[in-house]
Amino acid sequence: MTDPFPFSAIVGQDEMKLAMTLTAVDPSIGGVLVFGDRGTGKSTAVRALPALLPQLTAVTGCPVNSERVTDVPDWAKGAGKTTHRIGTPVVDLPLGASEDRVTGALDIEAALTRGEKAFQPGLLARANRGYLYIDEVNLLEDHIVDLLLDVAQSGENVVERDGLSIRHPARFVLVGSGNPEEGELRPQLLDRFGLSVEVASPKTVDDRVEVMKRRHAYESDHAAFMLRWQAEDAAIRERIVTAREALKKLKATDAVLQDIAELCLKLGADGLRGELTLLKAARAYAAYRNDTAIGRTHIRETATLALRHRLRRDPLDEAGSGARVARVLSDTLA
Amino acid sequence: MGNPALLRCQLALTLLAIAPFALGGACLRGRAGGARDIILRDLNAFPAPQHRLPPDASDARLFGGLDLAATLSSGTIAHSTGALANARTLILPMAERITPGLAGRLSGALDGGTFCVLALDEGVDDEALHPALADRLAFSLDLDEIRATAAQTLSLDSDSVADARTMFSRVTVQPDQILELATLTLSLGISSLRAPHFALTCARAHAAFFGRDHVTQDDMIAAVELTLAHRATQLPETDPPPPPPPDDEDETPPDETPESEDLDLPDDLLLEAVKAALPAGLLERLATGAARSAIGSGSGARTKSNRRGRPLPARPGRPDQGKRIDVISTLRAAAPWQKLRNKGDGPVRVWPSDIHIKHYEQTSDRLLIFTVDASGSAAIARLAEAKGAIELLLSEAYARRDHVALIAFRGTEADVLLPPTRSLVQTKRRLAALPGGGGTPLAHGLEAALTLSLTARGRGLTPTLVLLTDGRANIDRQGKVDRPQAATDAQTIARAIRGQGIDALVIDTGNRPEPALSSLSQTLNATYLPLPRADARRLSAAVSDALDQ
C-alpha cells in the first residue's frame, strides 16, 4: 500500500475537489481551508495531491525547487547546473514543528563537524512552488501562525537569526484542515486562505456504500484499482495543464467586475481580498471548464468558496455563512 | 470465562492481531494494573517490533532526529531513528494526556498503514483519547469491567492468528453487506466514514479467524458490536423502520413487501447487536438527546501559560515578563556549540539564542459576564447591588482566578459597561456612573453577552453568564415595544447561547418569581435562582455557590 488513495476516486466532496483543482490551476488564489467532521476525506484528498498535480521543472538538488539555474539562491550548496522534472512538492507541517524546522536555521551538522556557518533550509523552502499542508490548523501554535502569515503574504521567507541573514522565495498554496468543534481559527489566518470549504460526511446510503466499496477495492485489489483511477487522475491533470495556459487569455469584463464588487459589498465582506480572490477563482474555473470568457456561471460556482470565511460572524445564523452567500448570490445575480 | 466484557476484549484483540494495520488499533480504557497488565504482558500475537511511547514523546523520539549524546561524545553527527520508523505496534500509556499536536502527527502516520496502536486510556470522567486519534482506531474496550482474576484466561493464540492472517486477504464480502453497514452507520448517527470501513474489515478478520472465505451474518454481528457500538450518537426510532425508497412501487407491490422485510431483518439483527453492546449509561443519554458532549473534545478550554499548569516542551525565547528559563533545555541547546565557541577549554558559554523558556498548559481562566437589567424604576437599586457583587467577587478573584465583565441593557440597547477585567481599580472607576431606566430589551442583553462570550473564548477564557433581571422582556430585537415578540427573541438567543455550550446562571430579582424567566433558564440550561431584594453580599455568595457546584 505505497500509493496513496487516488484523488478522483474520492466519492462526492465535489466542493473540496473543485477548490483544490482551482488552486492547482492558479496557485496565486492563495490556499484552501477545509473544515469538517472527521473521516470525510480531508487528509485523503491532500495526500492524493502529489499524484494528481503536474510535474515541475526544477534545478537538480536545489533546496527551494528553483525553476532556472540563475534563480538558485547563493547559500544553496550542492545545487546542480541542470534541471529535471519533479513532482509538485506537498509538504506536511506537523503541529508541533519548531520555528527552526519551519523557517530553516543554522545547519548544526555543518557547524559542528566543519565549523561552517551554513543555512539548513526548513519546510517553507521545501514547499516553494508547491503545497504546504497543515492538519488541525486551528490547533497550530500562535508563534507558528505568525510566521506563516508573514510568509504567505510576502511569498518570501526571511531568516534573521543565529547570525544568519538569508531570504529565499517561499510561494506555496496553503492547505489547512481541521474540525471546527476543536477551536476557531484566528481571523488573520482565516483571511489568508483564498478558498474555504465545509465538508460533511455523505448522508445517503448510496454514497456511503460507494465509499466503502472503493476503499475495500483499494485495499484488497490494489493494482487494478490504481490502474483504473490513475487514468482518471491523468485526465484531470491534462485539464489543469490546459487550463493554466488558457488562464492568461481570460480577461474580466467590466460587467463581471461590477457583479463581483456588488456581491462583496452586499455581503459586507471584510477587506478587498474577497473581491480579488473571487475574480481569480472565477477565472480559474472558467479556464478549467475551457470556456472562452468569464461569466456569471463562474462567479456563481466559486463565490461560496471564495467568500464564505470572510463574513462577519452572526451568532444567530445557524445555517452557516455558506447559506448567506448563496442567498445574496441568488439576489444579486438573478 | 463467560464474562461478556472479557469475551469482547479477547475477540477484539484477536481480530486486531489478524489485521493490525487495516484496523488501526484499539483504545483500552481502564486503570493501570489488573486486566490491562495481563493483556500487555503477552503481546506476541501482535507484529514486532513493539514500542512503548511516553505521552510527552518528542518529535525526535517519534520521527528521528539528532542524537545529542552520541553526537557530543563522538564529535561527529549522529542521528537517532524514530520509534515510528520501525515500530509495527505502538503502545501509548496515558493516552488521554497526549497533546493535540502529537495526536495529529500520530493520526497522520496511522493513515500510512504501517503500524497499529494500543492506546491505554487511563482517563477519568471527561478525559479521553484525542478524537482525531480515536477515530482512527477500530476498537474501544472498557477494561474496568474485567476483574484481574478473570483476565488470567485471556490469551491470544499466535498460531491461529497467523493462520487467519493468510486467510484474511482471501475473504470476500457481498455488496448487500456493504449496503447494510452503510445504512446502519447512517441510522446510528455515525458520520465518520472510517467506521463502516472498520466494521467491514473487522467482519472479514472475524471470518478469517473462523476459517471462512466469505463474510457471514455472524461475522457482521460480531463486527458491528465491536466497532460501531461505542461510536453511536443516536438510536433509530423504535417504530417500524422506514421502507426502502419506493422506486418501482407501482410495478409489483405484492413482491415488494416480502423483499423489504428480507432486507430489514438482518439490519435489525445488527442493530440489536449494537444496542446490546452499547456502553452503560449511553443509552439513557442517547434517549434524552444529550450525547452532544461526546462530540467536542473541549480542547478550546485549555490555554498556554508561562506560569502554571502542566509542563509543555520548552521553546526558545527571551526571559522577560516573568517567564521562567528552562535550564536543562538551554544547556542542551548550548551543548553542541561549545567546541566552536571556546576553542578548547573554559567555562560553558551560553548565548542568548540558546535560552529556552518553560511553557505550561493550564485550564483557562473563567470570565463571569454579569448581564444586568437596568430598566425601569428598580434599576438603580439592582444595578447598585450588581456592582457591589462584582466588586466582592473581584476582591476574591486572586484566589478564584476569575475575570468579570458587566453588560447593562435598558431602553433599546445593551452596553458593555465593563470589558473583561481582573482589575478592581478599573472596575470601580468604570462602574461609578451607571445609567438606568427605560424598557427591558432582554434579547439585546443576551445577544451582547453571547458576542462577548465568543470573543472571550477566542482569547482563551471560559465564559459563564450571570443574568440578573425580573424577566419581563418588552422590547424586541428590532427595538419595538412588543411583548410576545420580545419573549420569542429572548428564547431564540438563549438557544444560541446554549448551542455554544456557555454555562449560565439566571437570578430573578423580581418580587415574585417570574415563570417566563424560569422557562428561559431552562432554554439556557441554566441554574435558576429567585433572589428578591438581594443585597450584594448574598448575590456574590449565591453566584460563588452556584459556580462551585
Side-chain angles (χ1 to χ4, degrees):
Chain A
M1 284 211 300
T2 44
D3 298 315
F5 196 79
F7 188 79
S8 46
I10 296 169
V11 180
Q13 313 298 13
D14 295 327
E15 208 185 18
M16 173 172 72
K17 288 197 276 187
L18 176 66
M20 299 219 178
T21 321
L22 292 183
T23 55
V25 172
D26 182 2
S28 73
I29 287 176
V32 186
L33 178 69
V34 189
F35 255 20
D37 300 339
R38 271 173 277 281
T40 44
K42 298 185 299 265
S43 33
T44 310
V46 177
R47 293 190 206 297
L49 279 177
L52 175 79
L53 297 168
Q55 291 197 320
L56 300 174
T57 306
V59 176
T60 346
C62 176
V64 295
N65 313 315
S66 304
E67 192 175 357
R68 284 179 296 272
V69 177
T70 46
D71 294 343
V72 177
D74 51 2
W75 50 263
K77 303 266 180 332
K81 296 286 172 215
T82 52
T83 59
H84 64 156
R85 303 287 285 171
I86 56 163
T88 302
V90 177
V91 177
D92 250 315
L93 195 157
L95 274 190
S98 66
E99 273 172 65
D100 290 4
R101 257 186 91 190
V102 177
T103 59
L106 196 64
D107 185 343
I108 298 208
E109 183 163 358
L112 212 57
T113 53
R114 299 191 296 276
E116 264 174 28
K117 199 163 81 176
F119 177 63
Q120 164 103 57
L123 296 175
L124 294 178
R126 272 172 52 205
N128 189 31
R129 300 181 66 206
Y131 282 71
L132 186 71
Y133 174 53
I134 312 167
D135 195 10
E136 312 275 357
V137 62
N138 44 349
L139 303 180
L140 197 65
E141 290 204 42
D142 275 352
H143 67 287
I144 302 284
V145 171
D146 295 341
L147 273 174
L148 283 177
L149 287 183
D150 191 44
V151 178
Q153 183 60 36
S154 61
E156 189 176 43
N157 178 28
V158 181
V159 181
E160 297 284 355
R161 55 193 297 180
D162 301 341
L164 292 166
S165 177
I166 282 202
R167 49 188 59 213
H168 67 77
R171 283 178 212 290
F172 48 81
V173 177
L174 198 60
V175 180
S177 69
N179 186 329
E181 278 163 10
E182 284 168 14
E184 301 281 334
L185 205 60
R186 271 168 66 189
Q188 294 93 324
L189 185 58
L190 202 57
D191 196 41
R192 296 298 201 278
F193 286 97
L195 308 177
S196 149
V197 184
E198 281 163 20
V199 290
S201 52
K203 290 282 179 263
T204 67
V205 173
D206 290 350
D207 280 351
R208 294 177 76 106
V209 167
E210 192 57 35
V211 170
M212 286 167 70
K213 276 187 181 160
R214 288 190 193 173
R215 186 76 211 183
H216 180 60
Y218 169 72
E219 276 173 18
S220 57
D221 194 5
H222 190 65
F225 184 78
M226 291 310 285
L227 205 61
R228 151 105 176 72
W229 290 102
Q230 271 165 354
E232 300 265 332
D233 269 11
I236 299 181
R237 186 159 52 236
E238 290 290 309
R239 280 181 77 182
I240 291 174
V241 174
T242 326
R244 279 183 184 171
E245 284 304 311
L247 207 56
K248 297 161 196 154
K249 293 180 214 121
L250 281 169
K251 296 273 178 289
T253 59
D254 283 353
V256 166
L257 297 179
Q258 192 103 31
D259 280 345
I260 291 177
E262 199 179 329
L263 195 60
C264 292
L265 212 57
K266 274 200 185 157
L267 279 165
D270 292 338
L272 280 169
R273 214 168 268 153
E275 275 96 330
L276 298 174
T277 313
L278 177 53
L279 178 60
K280 278 181 182 169
R283 176 185 289 146
Y285 184 59
Y288 186 65
R289 293 203 357 177
N290 211 5
D291 291 337
T292 47
I294 309 173
R296 284 194 163 180
T297 8
H298 306 123
I299 300 177
R300 209 172 278 131
E301 291 298 317
T302 50
T304 318
L305 285 175
L307 299 178
R308 170 192 280 141
H309 54 300
R310 300 177 202 275
L311 307 188
R312 286 271 160 78
R313 229 175 340 161
D314 179 355
L316 286 183
D317 188 0
E318 278 157 17
S321 43
R324 251 155 86 201
V325 177
R327 205 162 52 230
V328 174
L329 205 56
S330 60
D331 290 350
T332 317
L333 305 184
Chain B
M1 289 295 241
N3 180 342
L6 183 62
L7 288 174
R8 227 171 97 80
C9 184
Q10 160 105 31
L11 185 59
L13 290 174
T14 310
L15 297 181
L16 183 60
I18 293 171
F21 308 142
L23 287 172
C27 174
L28 307 174
R29 192 171 166 90
R31 304 232 177 88
R36 203 186 86 175
D37 284 1
I38 292 164
I39 292 172
L40 291 182
R41 207 176 295 152
D42 180 25
L43 289 177
N44 287 335
F46 287 93
Q50 301 170 345
H51 268 277
R52 214 180 156 93
L53 198 73
D56 59 344
S58 65
D59 268 12
R61 182 77 197 279
L62 263 175
F63 300 100
L66 196 70
D67 186 341
L68 207 60
T71 304
L72 282 178
S73 61
S74 68
T76 52
I77 212 90
H79 289 281
S80 61
T81 47
L84 289 188
N86 46 21
R88 293 290 165 266
T89 304
L90 206 60
I91 301 155
L92 304 172
M94 290 198 280
E96 79 283 358
R97 305 296 293 267
I98 286 180
T99 58
L102 181 58
R105 273 164 289 156
L106 279 176
S107 306
L110 257 177
D111 287 344
T114 57
F115 64 97
C116 76
V117 166
L118 288 177
L120 311 178
D121 179 356
E122 292 166 30
V124 282
D125 301 333
D126 281 354
E127 281 184 314
L129 188 60
H130 190 271
L133 193 53
D135 191 49
R136 286 168 165 89
L137 307 181
F139 305 115
S140 174
L141 302 166
D142 196 342
L143 300 183
D144 280 340
E145 292 170 29
I146 304 172
R147 279 204 310 277
T149 43
Q152 296 291 356
T153 55
L154 210 154
S155 70
L156 303 186
D157 181 3
S158 300
D159 292 335
S160 55
V161 164
D163 289 346
R165 247 180 232 163
T166 51
M167 188 75 190
F168 175 68
S169 58
R170 295 202 303 273
V171 179
T172 56
V173 265
Q174 298 303 315
D176 59 328
Q177 286 168 329
I178 293 182
L179 180 69
E180 269 178 53
L181 288 176
T183 321
L184 185 65
T185 49
L186 206 57
S187 64
L188 288 171
I190 302 171
S191 69
S192 172
L193 286 166
R194 290 194 184 94
H197 185 70
F198 279 143
L200 188 68
T201 314
C202 183
R204 287 172 58 213
H206 192 266
F209 185 62
F210 287 96
R212 288 188 286 265
D213 66 351
H214 62 278
V215 171
T216 65
Q217 193 62 21
D218 287 348
D219 301 327
M220 297 278 282
I221 290 176
V224 297
E225 262 184 32
L226 289 171
T227 56
L228 300 185
H230 61 282
R231 294 173 205 261
T233 63
Q234 66 177 48
L235 279 180
E237 289 88 29
T238 40
D239 300 331
D247 281 337
D248 40 4
E249 208 175 36
D250 299 344
E251 291 171 27
T252 48
D255 285 347
E256 186 74 10
T257 329
E259 204 181 277
S260 73
E261 271 176 3
D262 277 357
L263 266 178
D264 284 339
L265 191 64
D267 210 356
D268 276 355
L269 275 176
L270 292 185
L271 189 60
E272 288 307 317
V274 173
K275 272 188 195 168
L278 282 179
L282 188 66
L283 205 59
E284 293 90 81
R285 275 193 290 138
L286 289 177
T288 55
R292 180 180 302 177
S293 62
I295 300 168
S297 71
S299 49
R302 290 196 202 120
T303 169
K304 308 278 184 301
S305 161
N306 296 316
R307 293 185 300 279
R308 53 175 185 260
R310 206 156 58 75
L312 290 174
R315 65 164 215 250
R318 239 160 288 152
D320 49 11
Q321 296 158 14
K323 292 176 185 168
R324 284 162 58 193
I325 294 179
D326 187 329
V327 178
I328 302 294
S329 300
T330 305
L331 286 177
R332 194 173 283 159
W337 302 101
Q338 295 312 310
K339 225 174 181 173
L340 276 178
R341 285 182 190 168
N342 59 34
K343 317 276 184 221
D345 49 357
V348 175
R349 296 195 184 186
V350 177
W351 287 3
S353 58
D354 298 332
I355 290 173
H356 278 60
I357 302 294
K358 283 188 177 175
H359 282 264
Y360 297 94
E361 185 179 65
Q362 59 168 2
T363 39
S364 58
D365 294 350
R366 187 162 51 193
L367 169 65
L368 292 177
I369 302 174
F370 284 88
T371 311
V372 182
D373 184 354
S375 67
S377 54
I380 308 298
R382 206 158 40 218
L383 274 176
E385 296 308 343
K387 278 156 68 176
I390 288 170
E391 285 173 17
L392 276 174
L393 279 170
L394 259 188
S395 62
E396 39 189 77
Y398 69 93
R400 304 181 52 95
R401 303 198 177 99
D402 286 341
H403 298 237
V404 296
L406 177 70
I407 294 169
F409 54 95
R410 67 187 186 96
T412 57
E413 55 183 22
D415 294 315
V416 180
L417 291 178
L418 180 70
T421 181
R422 287 174 73 175
S423 149
L424 197 54
V425 181
Q426 195 198 3
T427 308
K428 285 195 160 148
R429 199 175 299 148
R430 290 256 190 169
L431 297 186
L434 244 184
T440 308
L442 190 51
H444 282 91
L446 287 175
E447 192 177 347
L450 175 58
T451 315
L452 190 62
S453 304
L454 294 178
T455 322
R457 193 178 267 175
R459 289 177 24 213
L461 296 166
T462 308
T464 299
L465 213 151
V466 182
L467 178 67
L468 279 96
T469 179
D470 53 10
R472 282 164 219 142
N474 52 19
I475 310 280
D476 69 5
R477 275 186 84 211
Q478 264 67 47
K480 287 196 276 293
V481 181
D482 181 351
R483 252 172 212 280
Q485 186 58 39
T488 319
D489 284 352
Q491 289 282 350
T492 313
I493 298 184
R495 269 197 297 279
I497 291 175
R498 184 183 181 168
Q500 288 290 337
I502 297 165
D503 289 335
L505 176 66
V506 176
I507 298 177
D508 189 343
T509 51
N511 290 330
R512 288 184 305 275
E514 170 70 40
L517 207 51
S518 97
S519 94
L520 184 75
S521 62
Q522 272 172 15
T523 312
L524 280 168
N525 198 15
T527 316
Y528 174 70
L529 282 177
L531 276 184
R533 291 182 298 280
D535 62 16
R537 205 159 288 280
R538 276 181 63 202
L539 206 54
S540 127
V543 171
S544 296
D545 287 352
L547 290 176
D548 287 341
Q549 274 169 14

